Amino acid sequence: MKQDKLSRRQFVQLTGSFLIASMSASTFLTLFEGCQKEDSNPVRPPQGTTFTIKLSENPELSQIGGFKTFNVNSTPIIVFRTGQTTFKALSMVCTHQGCTTNWINSSQQFQCPCHGSKFDKDGKVIQGPATQNLTTFRTEYKSDTNEVIIYF
Ligand code: FES
């Protein structure tokens, strides 16, 4: 026997299912959008560009162990002097959702203020939620001009 009308019970079940499905979809979308946060800081300056640091103008880098932060095309980077003629440069942009990490010199770690990720002095993840290391850049010391070139 064919029924043309929904019983009250069927109607309640059907609308309840529809509401639950709608809420699940919107909840999913909200969560998904949260994960897709636009990075306000790009992880790196445009690829193929360089940044030149004159050591005569940056006394923080005159000693081995010295470091200084720079803002290159809206990307915060940090440069360490690791030897007489060697330097290390890293992006300070957290690979989780793009917050700027803080360099904690006493513990030799980068710490992200947003969700607690930590990275060692080489940018390796030591605590999540980040799963990717900080971006590192090649450096070159020019003894003739006493400059450091950072290659992005
Ligand atoms: S943005 Fe750094 S831990 Fe989330």
Side-chain angles (χ1 to χ4, degrees), residues 37 94-99 101 112-117 119 128-130:
K37 178 184 168 237
C94 182
T95 55
H96 178 228
Q97 288 186 349
C99 292
T101 60
C112 183
C114 291
H115 313 102
S117 289
F119 306 84

Side-chain angles (χ1 to χ4, degrees), residues 33 43-44 52-53 61 66-68 82-83 100 104 106 108 113 125-126 142 149:
E33 284 168 4
V43 172
R44 62 181 309 143
T52 301
I53 301 167
L61 294 171
F67 63 93
K68 186 172 181 183
T82 56
T100 299
I104 312 298
S106 58
Q108 298 283 292
V125 176
I126 53 178
K142 300 273 191 189
I149 315 294

Side-chain angles (χ1 to χ4, degrees), residues 94-96 110 117-120 122-134:
C94 182
T95 55
H96 178 228
F110 294 91
S117 289
K118 293 181 182 176
F119 306 84
D120 72 10
D122 296 317
K124 278 189 176 169
V125 176
I126 53 178
Q127 179 178 303
T131 57
Q132 293 185 6
N133 299 335
L134 297 179

